[in-house]
Amino acid sequence: MFKNPFSFDGRIRRTEYGLSYLIYIIVGLPFDLYYDNTYDPSLTVSIIFLIILIPLLWFIIAQGAKRCHDRGNSGWFQIIPFYIFWMIFADSDNGENEYGSNPKGIGNHGFIDEIGRKDY
């Protein structure tokens, strides 16, 4: 779990995406609360917030793209309103798709698995 979290390549399961979203909320919440309760935030806090926010946004967008790939869609699908619920609750495509093999291993088989198999 969490192999290459900043990469846009591959597929991830619902669990990993859900945990990624929780990390995003937990890390970003203190800054959101600070800005809501402060009329004039200090420059130091604003710089720290930007330093943390940029990798955090990259992380959640990359994880979202990989979850879209698991559903067989382009990563751009995550900008559709309420599509996040589909990414969290819908199951992945069985087997391999153009983005890689199924992270659960369901339906992943190659030529070597077909040897000796009799399908009538």
Side-chain angles (χ1 to χ4, degrees), residues 48-62:
I48 292 172
F49 177 64
L50 282 176
I51 290 172
I52 293 173
L53 181 67
I54 292 169
L56 189 63
L57 285 174
W58 187 276
F59 168 74
I60 198 63
I61 291 170

Side-chain angles (χ1 to χ4, degrees), residues 76-86:
W76 289 102
F77 272 57
Q78 66 184 319
I79 64 173
I80 297 172
F82 303 109
Y83 190 74
I84 187 173
F85 296 115
W86 189 254

Side-chain angles (χ1 to χ4, degrees), residues 32-96:
D32 191 34
L33 292 175
Y34 176 78
Y35 276 97
D36 284 346
N37 296 328
T38 306
Y39 294 110
D40 190 22
S42 69
L43 182 63
T44 307
V45 173
S46 297
I47 291 172
I48 292 172
F49 177 64
L50 282 176
I51 290 172
I52 293 173
L53 181 67
I54 292 169
L56 189 63
L57 285 174
W58 187 276
F59 168 74
I60 198 63
I61 291 170
Q63 293 294 85
K66 287 191 275 190
R67 182 64 188 136
C68 288
H69 293 169
D70 193 40
R71 297 279 313 131
N73 299 319
S74 167
W76 289 102
F77 272 57
Q78 66 184 319
I79 64 173
I80 297 172
F82 303 109
Y83 190 74
I84 187 173
F85 296 115
W86 189 254
M87 291 193 301
I88 291 173
F89 296 116
D91 201 9
S92 61
D93 286 350
N94 287 336
E96 295 185 12

